[in-house]
Amino acid sequence: MSLDPAAAAELGTVRIVGTGLLGASIGLGLRGLGVRVLLHDPSPTALALARDVGAGEPDPGDEPVSLVVVGAPPDVTAEVVRAELAAHPQATVTDVASVKGQIAAVMPGIPGAERYVGGHPMAGRERSGPTAARADLFLGRPWVVCPSPSSPERHHPRNETVRMLALALGAMPVFMPAGEHDEAVALVSHVPQLAASLVASRLVRAADPAVGLAGQGLRDVTRIADSDPVLWAQILSANAAPVVNVLKDLRVDLDHLIVALDALRHDEAVGARAAVAQVIHNGREGRERIPGKHGDPQTRYAVVTALLPDSPGELARLFDDIGEAGVNVEEFSLEHSPGARVGLGSVSVLPAARDVLEAALTAKGWHVVS
Amino acid sequence: MSLDPAAAAELGTVRIVGTGLLGASIGLGLRGLGVRVLLHDPSPTALALARDVGAGEPDPGDEPVSLVVVGAPPDVTAEVVRAELAAHPQATVTDVASVKGQIAAVMPGIPGAERYVGGHPMAGRERSGPTAARADLFLGRPWVVCPSPSSPERHHPRNETVRMLALALGAMPVFMPAGEHDEAVALVSHVPQLAASLVASRLVRAADPAVGLAGQGLRDVTRIADSDPVLWAQILSANAAPVVNVLKDLRVDLDHLIVALDALRHDEAVGARAAVAQVIHNGREGRERIPGKHGDPQTRYAVVTALLPDSPGELARLFDDIGEAGVNVEEFSLEHSPGARVGLGSVSVLPAARDVLEAALTAKGWHVVS
């Protein structure tokens, strides 16, 4: 995927309302593609910063625009969309809020609602605000497009406009009704976030020696627990119904698990061990549905792990040697065990390449451990 | 950490009972350090394979041994320990089972129980069996040592023997009573495993477009869901009480969360939004307790992300350029978005090195996106 000037050429003048990370990144990307971008933000500081990073010019307010992109905080997006529909009676209005049903629900009855097309670019960064903007923030990411119920056809010109916006910025447009989108993000984003937080919460009062035994598994499960409580309270509040439905399903499984483990604890184990195994089995089955690289069904890679002295240049040497072996790296992760002055570099490769790579690295003097 | 011949020299002749992945890896490591290793396994095939990979010689049964290491499956470990204590009345007997309380509980009354010292090397691989054995499997990993209640002093000779075994193999010995160990692994390993499985289970019946929106967050949370149901049913059954306690705590938080989100869904939102934010906040606080690299409190690294064309040699070129910049890589991950023919390489570095690295990579023509 790359930025697409041909798609950008279809857009006309674009007004961006709300110049935070997403709004400013959209402006920056479009500007680089030659699109005229007009910016607006209730905060003069945010507006000036967005202009300074090159996201566009402050909107003088006297120019017709063909597309308005609302990048306001989730809890005021619907109100801003309504105001923009009224102020720009010819324009298509879209937004970037991460929950779509709440906005779609207030549209009926709003004058011009047929010109609103919901959007959700699934991209973000750890940093926020216009100074964190990147023209390439959306490269290769899904950008959900939720057509208005009055023009659901994929090729309706207003839907096409938002699709072109996504394509211009190198994203992958995915058409989906608002309700379906909200259920999907509850499942693949909001509930995993909460599960990570609930697991990590258990560590707050844990003894030091216990957390000292933490390994890569715990680190992976809890990585996204490192999130902003205020932003997440907004997102989860806006998507409460789909999230609570998934959580209640999860609680049913959790309750069964607790009953089974309680039985095992008291040696009333008929069927209990099978019930526990079933939980792990189901998880494995669900895990296999997650698409991997290139949108193909998740590929099983072979993993070759090498010991890496903890000093500069070692990774470069490793990848030189991998490159010389003619092997393509599908995934790579570097792990340090607590207390160890040596790292483990895990190289995922296509299964057919495993033996070649092991032999090549060993020949180069690497300590291959798997 | 590295293999330690001085520690190995303290061990005398070692008998290993059960030549699966852990038993054979211990044998292989010790053999390389010059230790005499005698092997035993009820399966002649497993025994022959372990001998062939170089883990030791089949035990002729007529030689005195100073240390017996039991690497049997978790559900028969206690019985094998009892038999080894009887058969080798001078030897220290240890094991490698991942749950310790169940074994400690049956020890009182067993003749020779004072010669048993529990062990749990926290290492493993995706593959199992003697052919997957690695001499360096334990390098830099915690190796929990659970002294017998009759000789709890750290420097008791039998505890020292097991400590020397861990040190010989490059592991980090961690002394801990059996009960404390089991509570710790429930918290840092068993419950995270179950949470990952419960989240991944939600995907089994999800629609394709929904799982198509999956991103790195979901992948991380569910990575360990890809586990063996039979092995995990054994482990969880053996540690049912501590696991169920943590799960019940987690369920209390989950119930509060469901009540809060249900209230938000019906607009009875007094305090509910704060309750949701609190869950995320607690998770963040717990996450910060996980030790990072080198056993120090988790370091906050700065992350520099570069776009990587999906072709051989690009990673080598990247790490060459990082090395030339004189920057040490603390962590590295390579991510492919579904459908994208470009990867994102995220380089974690000490915060002070971020600007240097960004500038150096940009100067070398890399597309740095954060």
Side-chain angles (χ1 to χ4, degrees):
Chain A
M1 309 296 290
S2 57
L3 297 180
D4 182 347
E10 307 278 317
L11 292 176
T13 299
V14 176
R15 169 175 156 94
I16 295 174
V17 181
T19 57
L21 170 66
L22 295 178
S25 293
I26 292 170
L28 204 55
L30 294 180
R31 279 286 298 272
L33 294 163
V35 175
R36 178 152 174 78
V37 178
L38 304 175
L39 303 174
H40 179 74
D41 197 290
S43 153
T45 308
L47 184 61
L49 284 173
R51 181 199 55 209
D52 292 351
V53 300
E57 297 166 37
D59 190 345
D62 54 2
E63 228 176 285
V65 298
S66 45
L67 175 62
V68 178
V69 181
V70 174
D75 50 355
V76 299
T77 296
E79 193 43 47
V80 176
V81 166
R82 178 207 299 261
E84 293 297 316
L85 286 169
H88 302 277
Q90 307 305 318
T92 297
V93 176
T94 189
D95 70 327
V96 299
S98 57
V99 179
K100 308 266 48 109
Q102 212 182 36
I103 302 166
V106 301
M107 282 299 131
I110 290 184
E114 72 284 356
R115 290 181 285 112
Y116 168 69
V117 180
H120 180 203
M122 301 195 69
R125 300 188 58 193
E126 285 149 50
R127 292 161 60 201
S128 61
T131 53
R134 293 284 171 173
D136 46 25
L137 187 67
F138 309 102
L139 274 188
R141 305 283 184 174
W143 188 311
V144 180
V145 180
C146 304
S148 151
S150 61
S151 40
E153 326 83 71
R154 190 155 300 200
H155 294 295
H156 186 284
R158 298 202 188 278
N159 299 338
E160 271 294 301
T161 299
V162 178
R163 185 171 155 260
M164 288 300 155
L165 172 67
L167 288 176
L169 295 168
M172 298 183 303
V174 179
F175 282 83
M176 207 178 264
E180 198 179 304
H181 164 274
D182 288 359
E183 287 173 15
V185 294
L187 199 63
V188 304
S189 167
H190 302 175
V191 166
Q193 170 66 49
L194 288 168
S197 296
L198 290 173
V199 170
S201 296
R202 309 272 74 72
L203 305 173
V204 172
R205 273 175 297 276
D208 280 339
V211 292
L213 298 184
Q216 197 56 36
L218 181 66
R219 284 198 190 87
D220 285 349
V221 171
T222 60
R223 186 183 60 82
I224 57 173
D226 215 357
S227 295
D228 177 8
V230 174
L231 176 66
W232 273 96
Q234 277 187 23
I235 294 172
L236 294 164
S237 302
N239 205 28
V243 169
V244 102
N245 287 339
V246 181
L247 287 180
K248 284 178 178 172
D249 279 356
L250 191 150
R251 186 175 55 181
V252 170
D253 283 3
L254 176 60
D255 284 341
H256 287 158
L257 184 60
I258 287 175
V259 168
L261 288 168
D262 255 335
L264 283 163
R265 166 187 201 171
H266 300 112
D267 281 335
E268 306 144 8
V270 179
R273 200 177 284 240
V276 173
Q278 190 65 41
V279 169
I280 306 290
H281 172 84
N282 291 346
R284 200 167 175 176
E285 202 179 325
R287 165 82 185 161
E288 284 180 2
R289 297 211 52 211
I290 302 177
K293 189 181 167 189
H294 300 162
D296 307 328
Q298 194 172 21
T299 313
R300 295 279 180 154
Y301 298 122
V303 179
V304 176
T305 301
L307 283 190
L308 278 160
D310 188 10
S311 58
E314 288 299 315
L315 275 165
R317 194 162 68 80
L318 178 68
F319 283 102
D320 272 340
D321 293 344
I322 295 171
E324 242 178 65
V327 169
N328 200 7
V329 177
E330 304 294 334
E331 290 172 4
F332 179 77
S333 72
L334 176 63
E335 177 195 347
H336 285 89
S337 301
R341 294 274 159 192
V342 69
L344 292 170
S346 295
V347 187
S348 300
V349 298
L350 292 177
R354 181 216 294 254
D355 292 346
V356 174
L357 183 59
E358 283 211 11
L361 292 184
T362 305
K364 291 282 187 177
W366 290 98
H367 194 151
V368 175
V369 295
S370 81
Chain B
M1 308 295 289
S2 58
L3 298 180
D4 182 346
E10 308 279 318
L11 292 177
T13 299
V14 176
R15 169 174 155 96
I16 296 175
V17 181
T19 58
L21 170 65
L22 295 178
S25 294
I26 292 170
L28 204 54
L30 293 180
R31 279 285 298 270
L33 293 163
V35 175
R36 177 150 175 80
V37 178
L38 303 175
L39 303 175
H40 180 74
D41 197 290
S43 153
T45 308
L47 183 61
L49 283 173
R51 181 199 55 208
D52 291 352
V53 301
E57 296 166 37
D59 191 344
D62 55 2
E63 227 175 286
V65 300
S66 45
L67 174 64
V68 178
V69 181
V70 174
D75 49 357
V76 299
T77 296
E79 193 42 48
V80 177
V81 166
R82 178 206 301 260
E84 294 297 319
L85 286 169
H88 302 277
Q90 307 304 319
T92 297
V93 177
T94 187
D95 71 326
V96 300
S98 57
V99 178
K100 307 267 49 111
Q102 214 181 34
I103 302 165
V106 301
M107 282 300 132
I110 291 183
E114 73 286 355
R115 289 183 284 114
Y116 167 70
V117 179
H120 179 204
M122 301 196 68
R125 299 188 59 194
E126 285 147 51
R127 293 160 61 200
S128 60
T131 55
R134 294 282 170 175
D136 46 25
L137 187 67
F138 310 101
L139 274 187
R141 306 281 184 174
W143 187 311
V144 180
V145 181
C146 304
S148 150
S150 61
S151 40
E153 326 82 72
R154 190 156 301 201
H155 295 293
H156 186 283
R158 300 204 185 274
N159 299 336
E160 271 294 302
T161 299
V162 178
R163 183 170 157 260
M164 287 300 155
L165 173 67
L167 288 175
L169 296 167
M172 297 182 304
V174 178
F175 281 83
M176 207 179 265
E180 197 180 306
H181 165 273
D182 288 359
E183 287 174 14
V185 293
L187 198 63
V188 305
S189 168
H190 302 173
V191 166
Q193 170 65 48
L194 288 168
S197 297
L198 290 173
V199 170
S201 297
R202 309 272 73 72
L203 304 173
V204 173
R205 273 175 296 276
D208 281 339
V211 290
L213 298 184
Q216 197 55 37
L218 181 66
R219 285 198 189 86
D220 286 347
V221 171
T222 60
R223 185 182 62 79
I224 56 173
D226 215 356
S227 295
D228 178 8
V230 175
L231 176 66
W232 273 95
Q234 278 187 23
I235 294 171
L236 293 164
S237 303
N239 204 28
V243 170
V244 102
N245 286 340
V246 180
L247 287 180
K248 283 179 177 171
D249 278 355
L250 191 151
R251 185 172 58 180
V252 169
D253 283 3
L254 176 60
D255 285 341
H256 287 158
L257 184 59
I258 288 176
V259 168
L261 287 168
D262 256 335
L264 284 163
R265 167 188 200 170
H266 300 112
D267 281 338
E268 305 145 9
V270 179
R273 198 176 286 241
V276 173
Q278 190 65 41
V279 170
I280 307 289
H281 171 83
N282 290 348
R284 200 169 176 173
E285 203 178 324
R287 167 81 185 159
E288 286 180 2
R289 297 214 48 213
I290 302 177
K293 189 180 168 187
H294 300 161
D296 307 328
Q298 193 173 23
T299 312
R300 296 279 181 159
Y301 298 122
V303 179
V304 176
T305 301
L307 282 188
L308 278 160
D310 189 8
S311 58
E314 288 298 318
L315 275 165
R317 195 162 66 79
L318 177 69
F319 283 102
D320 273 340
D321 293 345
I322 295 170
E324 242 178 68
V327 170
N328 200 9
V329 177
E330 304 293 336
E331 290 172 3
F332 178 78
S333 72
L334 176 63
E335 177 194 350
H336 285 90
S337 300
R341 293 275 159 191
V342 70
L344 294 172
S346 296
V347 187
S348 300
V349 297
L350 293 176
R354 180 215 295 257
D355 292 347
V356 174
L357 183 60
E358 282 213 11
L361 292 183
T362 304
K364 290 282 187 176
W366 290 99
H367 194 150
V368 175
V369 295
S370 79

